[in-house]
Amino acid sequence: MSGDQRTALLPLPASRAEIKKIQSARKKIAFERAKTAKWYQGKLDHIDTNKLDDPEVWGQIPIVTKDILRSFDHADFVANFNIAPPEDISEYWRSGGATGKPVFYPRTFEDVNYALESWARSYPALGIGPGDLCHISFPIGIHPAGQIWARSAHQMGVGMNWVGAGNAVPSDAQIDLILALKPTVLISMPGFALNLVNIADTRGIDLAESSVRTVVCSAETLSDAKREKLGRRWGAEVFDVFGMSEAGLMGAECDAHDGIHIWDDMYYCEVVDEETGEILPYGEIGTFCVTPLYTNNATPFLRWNSGDIVQIIEQGESATKEAELFTMIKHAARTSGFFKIRGVNINHAEFEDFMFRNEDINDFQAVLSTGEDDLEHMRVLLEVKRGSDEAAVHEHVTSEIKRIFEVTAKVELQELGALAKAFEASIKAPRFIDERG
C-alpha cells in the first residue's frame, strides 16, 4: 500500500478555494461547540455565527492563553472546557513545553482519528513512504507526539520502530538499534539527535555513515545552526514539523525548507498583535493563534494562543502538493528564553547558535551561579569533538563569548559523552541552568 492509495479520513483539498469553504463551515461548528463549554458561556452570545468570516466579528472572540488554562486544577479545567461525556473519551494528552504546570486534555475517539490523520499527512510532505523505516525517539506516553506519530505510520505503509526517548531507552541502546535495524529516518527532538551522534563519537562510530538519510525534528527550536550541525553529523537531510497538544500535528516543511506548511483545512490560524490582539495580515510578525476545526470534540478551543512568534507566508517555494495548497508559517522565535547576568541579557537561542556553528564543539551547557564572593558567575561546560585541538577551542570559545556577549565565562572541558549522558535523562536537553539563589 502506498500513501497515495490509502483512503484518507480527510483527503487533501482540491484547491485553496475549497480550503476557504471548509474553514467557513468548520468555524461555525467549532463556535457552536465552544458555546456549550462552561468557560465560554456569556462570552460569545453577542457574536453572529453567520458573520464569523468577517475578521472584525471573529476578532471579538476571546483569545485563550496558557495562563488561563494553568489557573485551573485538573477538575476545574475539565468542568470549564470539556464538553464530551466520559464514554467518548479515548485518552488524555499532556500539554507541551518544558516549564509551567502541565494541562491534561481529554481527547475523544473521533479526536484521535483526526489526530492520526494530521500526523499521517507529514510522511508524504517529508518525502517518506513505503520502503522507509523510521526510528522514533520521542517519548511514547501521555504526550501525543510520539505515540500518535508512531501509530499513524501504519496507515501510510511506513515502517516504524517504537523506540522512545533517552530516559526510557538509553542512547547507547538506541545507537545499537540504528546500526542493527538500519532505519532510513530518525524522528527526534533536535537536542536528542545531537546527543546520539555525540555518544556515538565516544565509541568511535560516525553516524553520518549509518543508514539514516532523513532526520525529522519537532518540539524544540530548529535554528539554522542546529540544522546545519545535525545535517553534517548525520549525513542526512533535516526537516522540521510543528504541532501542539491543544490541536495536533499542524504542518511540516517540504523540500525547500523555507517554513512549515500548515494543514489549513484542519486548523484555522491567525497572527495577532501581541499588545492589541489585532489580527495581522500575511507577512507581519505576531503571536500565533489556532482554532482546531476537527480535533475539538472534547475541548473546543477557539483562538488558542500558543505563544509562538510567527509570520504567515502565503506561498512557499517547495515543489509539492502540500506547498501548492497550504500557507506557511515562519518562526521568529518559539517562546525562547534568556538570562541576565551582571546586567547583560543573553538570548538562549543566540547563544546556542553561536556554540553550534563551531564544528569543533559537540555540545555545551551554560550554568549560572552565585559565588562565595556574592557575585554572579557563568560556567560553560564544553565537549570538544574528537580529534580537535582542545586548548585552541577552549581559548577561542572563551574569547568569543567575551567579545560577542560581553560576559566573562569560565569554560570547562568535559569528557566526550559526559553531557550527552546527563541530557538523556531529560525530555529536553537542559542546556541552560540557573543555580543562582
Side-chain angles (χ1 to χ4, degrees), residues 341-410:
I341 181 167
R342 299 195 181 190
V344 178
N345 287 325
I346 298 180
N347 182 278
H348 289 182
E350 292 175 359
F351 192 86
E352 189 175 83
D353 280 358
F354 158 73
M355 299 298 285
F356 284 145
R357 283 200 175 95
N358 190 325
E359 295 188 18
D360 292 317
I361 294 173
N362 273 357
D363 218 331
F364 77 96
Q365 185 179 56
V367 182
L368 308 182
S369 60
T370 303
E372 294 181 0
D373 54 5
D374 290 329
L375 297 176
E376 295 178 331
H377 298 272
M378 178 177 174
R379 297 160 54 226
V380 176
L381 313 184
L382 192 67
E383 274 189 35
V384 176
K385 186 178 178 181
R386 180 190 297 275
S388 296
D389 186 330
E390 291 188 348
V393 175
H394 181 282
E395 180 181 353
H396 174 76
V397 170
T398 301
S399 63
E400 286 297 280
I401 290 174
K402 176 66 174 177
R403 182 182 70 83
I404 296 171
F405 299 100
E406 300 180 349
V407 168
T408 299
K410 182 181 180 182

Side-chain angles (χ1 to χ4, degrees), residues 138 149 186 188-190 193 215-219 222 230 238-241:
F138 272 82
W149 218 340
L186 173 70
S188 171
M189 294 185 196
V215 174
V216 183
C217 295
S218 189
L222 183 63
L230 283 169
V238 181
F239 289 86
D240 197 11
V241 304

Side-chain angles (χ1 to χ4, degrees), residues 84-325:
E87 63 268 22
D88 287 351
I89 302 301
S90 170
E91 58 196 49
Y92 283 82
W93 292 356
R94 185 193 188 279
S95 60
T99 61
K101 183 175 73 173
V103 181
F104 295 92
Y105 304 118
R107 291 290 172 256
T108 69
F109 291 94
E110 187 172 359
D111 286 333
V112 172
N113 286 335
Y114 284 115
L116 286 165
E117 179 69 23
S118 74
W119 264 275
R121 282 187 179 184
S122 68
Y123 295 106
L126 301 167
I128 300 168
D132 279 307
L133 176 63
C134 301
H135 173 116
I136 190 164
S137 291
F138 272 82
I140 307 292
I142 198 164
H143 192 283
Q147 52 104 348
I148 298 287
W149 218 340
R151 288 157 66 186
S152 70
H154 183 79
Q155 67 196 65
M156 300 302 292
V158 173
M160 178 64 66
N161 293 331
W162 296 50
V163 182
N167 59 354
V169 181
S171 298
D172 278 314
Q174 298 218 17
I175 292 165
D176 290 341
L177 285 170
I178 289 169
L179 297 178
L181 303 181
K182 302 188 184 307
T184 55
V185 180
L186 173 70
I187 302 176
S188 171
M189 294 185 196
F192 189 70
L194 286 174
N195 275 7
L196 290 177
V197 291
N198 292 338
I199 292 289
D201 189 43
T202 69
R203 296 170 52 183
I205 298 169
D206 183 2
L207 287 178
E209 298 179 357
S210 75
S211 56
V212 173
R213 287 296 168 260
T214 302
V215 174
V216 183
C217 295
S218 189
E220 295 176 348
T221 300
L222 183 63
S223 65
D224 289 343
K226 194 180 290 185
R227 184 195 295 271
E228 291 166 8
K229 193 175 192 75
L230 283 169
R232 185 171 62 250
R233 298 294 301 278
W234 278 96
E237 187 172 6
V238 181
F239 289 86
D240 197 11
V241 304
F242 177 71
M244 58 190 72
S245 299
E246 294 76 16
L249 191 75
M250 297 185 60
E253 281 185 345
C254 294
D255 52 25
H257 303 283
D258 53 351
I260 305 289
H261 291 278
I262 297 293
W263 319 141
D264 293 316
D265 60 324
M266 298 188 73
Y267 308 102
Y268 181 70
C269 300
E270 32 179 342
V271 172
V272 304
D273 185 277
E274 291 184 81
E275 300 298 328
T276 67
E278 176 190 0
I279 300 172
L280 299 176
Y282 287 171
E284 293 197 23
I285 294 174
T287 191
F288 186 65
C289 292
V290 57
T291 298
L293 300 179
Y294 289 91
T295 50
N296 57 7
N297 294 278
T299 54
F301 296 131
L302 303 176
R303 308 190 76 202
W304 160 256
N305 181 351
S306 71
D308 295 272
I309 307 302
V310 307
Q311 59 182 158
I312 296 178
I313 307 297
E314 190 166 7
Q315 187 71 56
E317 298 297 325
S318 294
T320 65
K321 181 65 173 178
E322 292 81 7
E324 177 188 333
L325 285 173

